[in-house]
């Protein structure tokens, strides 16, 4: 290996090794601490986890109303909190790293906040939210991953925090050692490969033909073997390019490809229509709508216009619930048959 190759290998090893160390220790180590801590929270019982969240929220001005009574209703119940004299709703969802809270669950809590007249809501999970949750989280604060860890870390015992930090540091050191090994291997490859890739100097050769030979070659190109002039090669006729057909424009659709997210968007949009109190999916294909006023044809048309934007939901059955005190009956219809 030449001196240039040694310097190139050393430069590659130092660049890759130091860059990997800086990234893994200053940035990735914190993410490892968060992941380790969240994994520990996911192993807690639901009641213990809910109490920990309530205690952590006290530091942010929240007070719980009858925590034990709320906890007794089970893991699907919303805990009632108060901040600055206004009610809030809290929902806690436990699950491992693969657990994903669907957008429909987020939309249900947002509907419950509006239905109970709460100032806002909080949804906390040890899993993660799907890509459409932010879109339907109207009036909600979502906690997962790093935001959840920042909320609960001050409430954990010092011994627990030290164990998590030590475990994250150990994993980071192991990863850094592996990164340096990869850097050295890459440096050796670069040290041997760089010289091989450098172009070798071309040897000087006198291959140019002398003047009389060049003239003879030129004259032989213009004549055939019997001394007659060579006919020029026929040029094939150019073929006009055939224009490609234009693709048909796609039919506009609001569907996201995620049925749960589409249903959540439908109840959100229908719930905002004039005369509608709230909307919910009683089944996967039955949209239940509670009305402030009796539905007229323009109201039904507006509901169908929302459903028509979602091909997989446009054939759903709609159940119109009349307002309290109304003489009207419950009405069922399908937009495609309306």
């Amino acid at each position: 290996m030449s001196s240039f190759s040694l310097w190139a290998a050393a430069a590659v090893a130092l660049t890759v090794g130091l860059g990997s160390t800086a990234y893994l220790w200053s940035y990735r180590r914190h993410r490892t601490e968060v992941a380790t801590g969240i994994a520990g929270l996911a192993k807690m019982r639901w009641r213990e986890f809910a109490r920990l969240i309530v205690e952590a929220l006290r530091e942010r001005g929240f007070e719980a109303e009858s925590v034990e009574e709320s906890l007794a209703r089970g893991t699907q119940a919303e805990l009632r909190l108060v901040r600055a004299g206004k009610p809030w709703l809290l929902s806690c969802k436990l699950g491992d790293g693969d657990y994903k809270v669907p957008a429909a669950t987020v939309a249900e809590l947002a509907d419950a906040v509006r239905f109970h007249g709460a100032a806002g809501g909080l949804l906390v999970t040890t899993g993660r939210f799907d890509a459409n949750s932010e879109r339907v989280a109207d009036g909600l604060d979502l906690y997962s991953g790093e935001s959840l860890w920042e909320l609960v870390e001050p409430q954990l015992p010092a011994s627990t925090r030290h164990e998590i930090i030590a475990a994250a540091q150990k994993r980071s050191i192991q990863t850094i050692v592996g990164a340096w090994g990869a850097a050295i291997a890459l440096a050796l490859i670069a040290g041997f490969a760089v010289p091989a890739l450098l172009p070798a100097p071309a040897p000087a050769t006198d291959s140019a033909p002398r003047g009389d030979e060049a003239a003879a070659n030129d004259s032989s190109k213009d004549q055939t073997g019997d001394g007659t002039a060579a006919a020029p090669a026929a040029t094939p006729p150019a073929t006009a390019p055939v224009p490609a057909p234009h693709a048909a424009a796609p039919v506009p659709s609001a569907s996201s490809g995620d049925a749960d997210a589409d249903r959540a968007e439908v109840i959100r949009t229908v719930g905002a229509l004039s005369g509608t109190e709230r909307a919910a999916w009683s089944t996967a294909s039955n949209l239940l709508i509670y009305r402030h006023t009796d539905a007229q044809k323009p109201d039904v048309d507006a509901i169908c216009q929302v459903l028509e934007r979602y091909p997989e939901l446009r054939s759903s059955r709609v159940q119109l619930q009349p307002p309290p005190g109304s003489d009207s009956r419950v009405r069922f219809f399908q937009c495609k048959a309306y």
Side-chain angles (χ1 to χ4, degrees), residues 38 58 74 87 102 106 113 161 166 175 178 197-198 205 224 242 245-246 261 274 284 290 297-298 308 315 326 331:
I38 296 298
R58 290 184 191 277
V106 179
V113 168
R161 293 201 300 270
T175 307
L197 295 176
L198 293 176
T205 59
T224 60
V242 180
H246 295 286
S274 175
Y290 293 89
K297 187 179 185 305
E308 284 294 328
S315 62
S326 174
R331 181 178 176 183

Side-chain angles (χ1 to χ4, degrees), residues 53-64:
I53 297 301
V54 170
E55 289 301 319
L57 289 173
R58 290 184 191 277
E59 302 296 327
R60 303 193 179 188
F62 289 93
E63 292 292 335

Side-chain angles (χ1 to χ4, degrees), residues 253-278:
S253 172
S255 176
S256 65
D258 186 333
D260 288 336
D262 291 346
R263 290 190 180 91
E265 188 63 24
V266 166
I267 63 176
R268 175 186 174 87
T269 307
V270 172
L273 294 177
S274 175
T276 299
E277 178 182 351
R278 65 189 182 96

Side-chain angles (χ1 to χ4, degrees), residues 51-259:
R51 288 194 185 97
L52 177 63
I53 297 301
V54 170
E55 289 301 319
L57 289 173
R58 290 184 191 277
E59 302 296 327
R60 303 193 179 188
F62 289 93
E63 292 292 335
E65 289 185 342
S66 60
V67 177
E68 294 302 326
E69 180 181 349
S70 297
L71 294 175
R73 292 199 299 270
T75 60
Q76 301 301 321
E78 293 91 10
L79 305 181
R80 292 174 175 82
L81 307 176
V82 176
R83 185 170 72 172
K86 296 181 180 180
W88 285 66
L89 297 182
L90 167 65
S91 179
C92 301
K93 304 295 182 183
L94 271 178
D96 57 20
D98 295 329
Y99 172 67
K100 184 184 294 184
V101 179
T105 300
V106 179
E108 288 175 4
L109 181 59
D111 287 340
V113 168
R114 290 190 293 269
F115 183 74
H116 292 287
L122 306 100
L123 205 161
V124 182
T125 181
T126 54
R128 51 198 175 94
F129 297 97
D130 70 11
N132 298 295
S133 294
E134 291 286 348
R135 189 175 61 176
V136 299
D138 185 19
L140 301 183
D141 294 335
L142 305 180
Y143 290 87
S144 66
E146 187 165 350
S147 61
L148 171 59
W149 185 243
E150 291 178 355
L151 175 67
V152 302
E153 183 185 10
Q155 303 299 320
L156 297 177
S159 59
T160 301
R161 293 201 300 270
H162 292 159
E163 289 177 2
I164 292 173
I165 292 174
Q169 289 179 347
K170 182 179 179 181
R171 291 180 58 186
S172 296
I173 291 173
Q174 292 173 345
T175 307
I176 289 173
V177 171
W180 273 101
I184 293 173
L186 182 62
L188 293 175
I189 294 173
F192 284 103
V194 168
L197 295 176
L198 293 176
T205 59
D206 186 13
S207 58
R210 294 187 300 272
D212 54 349
E213 294 177 350
N217 291 339
D218 291 339
S219 62
S220 65
K221 293 178 182 178
D222 296 333
Q223 293 183 350
T224 60
D226 55 359
T228 60
T235 303
T239 303
V242 180
H246 295 286
V251 179
S253 172
S255 176
S256 65
D258 186 333

